[in-house]
Amino acid sequence: MAVVISALSMTNIYAADLSVPTHSSLEVQADPALTKLLPVNITQRGYVVAATNPNTPPTTFFEKDNRTLAGREIDVMNAIGERLGLKVQWRDSGGFDNIIPGLMTGRYDVALSNINATKTRLKLVDFVSYYDASRLGVISLKSSNIAPFTSFDALCGQTVGAGAGTTQITRLETAGKQCQAEGKKTIQVAVFPDRPSGVQAVVSGRVPLFIGPYEGLTWQVKQIEPATISGVLTVDDAPVSIALPKNSALEPAIQAALNSLIKDGSYQKILDHWGIGFGAVKQSLRNEEIFQ
């Protein structure tokens, strides 16, 4: 059973609805042929509302001014918007767990926040895939002298932190059951509001380990001298995807724009800028296609 170490803060609805400025690493040109795929109401409006949960580089984060968003998610969606001739108005969702409800109620048109497409989530929202996140990292203190590992077996009997609402919680719980089936101690899962708070818990000694996206944790350990990546786990996860309300009329246009960016190399430039080109997908897929 998951143990909640730090409670999620209450969402400030007013603040979450404010448009947040962004900084992109790459600009692209619009394609008139693709703009024709947009639903009429979006064309008339001239923008889409995108939600995210600012976490850590290189996914989405606030720059030093603490108000401008940057990162992989920002670059990808802003480039899609430019290719479609649309502006993207960004919202800070106030927490990962607020994103899917926000899509379902129509507050957001799209959301990008390191969201893995899953069949369970597909019952609630739709997906357009854009990043291979099959590599997870497990962070620890260097002083712990934990031997490098590549299997969940190494976590049996350990307390491991994970971010609230993430697929890492389910993976740890499943691995814990396997530990028990093999006569070993289960994995104790400590849930944190987000990745930074989980990493800080490792640094302060509150938990020995924290699991999360490999690209994000490797970025953080470069900034935090006492920390290191002890585990690198390869999982068969569906790609990180753009989430949209069910049956959104925006889906064909967003998928086509993303595949256009993949084809002309703009997409790869974005990922390479953030040092995560290893996660590039060759094609963006949609909904059930993702799981085939």
Side-chain angles (χ1 to χ4, degrees), residues 15-45:
D17 279 345
L18 295 177
S19 185
V20 184
T22 65
H23 175 254
S24 295
S25 68
L26 183 73
E27 293 184 2
V28 301
Q29 297 299 312
D31 183 338
L34 295 180
T35 62
K36 294 178 181 178
L37 298 176
L38 290 169
V40 174
N41 67 315
I42 295 296
T43 301
Q44 292 175 341
R45 188 207 290 171

Side-chain angles (χ1 to χ4, degrees), residues 249-271:
L250 267 172
E251 292 172 30
I254 287 179
Q255 182 186 26
L258 186 49
N259 278 322
S260 170
L261 296 169
I262 292 172
K263 185 176 181 179
D264 75 4
S266 300
Y267 163 81
Q268 189 67 52
K269 288 179 181 178
I270 288 171
L271 298 189

Side-chain angles (χ1 to χ4, degrees), residues 103 121-126 244-249 251 287:
L103 289 168
R121 288 173 177 167
L122 188 58
K123 296 176 183 178
L124 304 175
V125 295
D126 282 354
L244 305 97
K246 291 299 292 183
N247 304 310
S248 170
E251 292 172 30
N287 298 326

Side-chain angles (χ1 to χ4, degrees), residues 17-247:
D17 279 345
L18 295 177
S19 185
V20 184
T22 65
H23 175 254
S24 295
S25 68
L26 183 73
E27 293 184 2
V28 301
Q29 297 299 312
D31 183 338
L34 295 180
T35 62
K36 294 178 181 178
L37 298 176
L38 290 169
V40 174
N41 67 315
I42 295 296
T43 301
Q44 292 175 341
R45 188 207 290 171
Y47 66 89
V48 292
V49 177
T52 190
N53 177 38
N55 202 314
T56 56
T59 49
T60 307
F61 62 100
F62 282 111
E63 293 186 328
K64 291 181 179 180
D65 64 3
N66 204 34
R67 65 184 297 270
T68 304
L69 286 172
R72 179 192 73 196
E73 325 275 45
I74 304 302
D75 282 358
V76 168
M77 191 62 218
N78 281 355
I80 289 172
E82 289 173 349
R83 184 58 40 102
L84 294 173
L86 286 174
K87 293 181 180 179
V88 181
Q89 290 193 4
W90 285 93
R91 305 286 194 270
D92 177 354
S93 68
F96 186 88
D97 285 350
N98 298 325
I99 288 175
I100 288 180
L103 289 168
M104 295 174 68
T105 58
R107 177 175 292 178
Y108 313 127
D109 298 311
V110 300
L112 294 85
S113 188
N114 223 41
I115 305 170
N116 283 103
T118 69
K119 290 187 176 181
T120 299
R121 288 173 177 167
L122 188 58
K123 296 176 183 178
L124 304 175
V125 295
D126 282 354
F127 291 111
V128 174
S129 64
Y130 71 96
Y131 187 76
D132 179 359
S134 59
R135 196 182 302 186
L136 300 176
V138 181
I139 193 172
S140 69
L141 288 175
K142 293 177 182 176
S143 59
S144 299
N145 295 316
I146 296 174
F149 59 90
T150 58
S151 170
F152 278 91
D153 291 347
L155 300 178
C156 294
Q158 299 277 5
T159 297
V160 186
T166 65
T167 56
Q168 281 82 56
I169 294 174
T170 304
R171 289 202 169 274
L172 289 173
E173 291 174 342
T174 300
K177 292 176 182 177
Q178 183 60 36
C179 292
Q180 290 180 306
E182 296 173 359
K184 304 173 184 177
K185 291 183 178 180
T186 190
I187 300 169
Q188 299 296 324
V189 185
V191 181
F192 294 90
D194 50 36
R195 197 187 319 152
S197 60
V199 171
Q200 182 56 43
V202 171
V203 173
S204 66
R206 294 170 65 195
V207 292
L209 302 162
F210 182 86
I211 187 172
Y214 177 79
E215 67 276 9
L217 289 181
T218 52
W219 187 291
Q220 284 189 271
V221 298
K222 292 177 183 177
Q223 320 300 321
I224 304 171
E225 197 280 330
T228 188
I229 297 288
S230 292
V232 179
L233 307 172
T234 301
V235 296
D236 188 24
D237 266 356
V240 165
S241 300
I242 299 169
L244 305 97
K246 291 299 292 183
N247 304 310

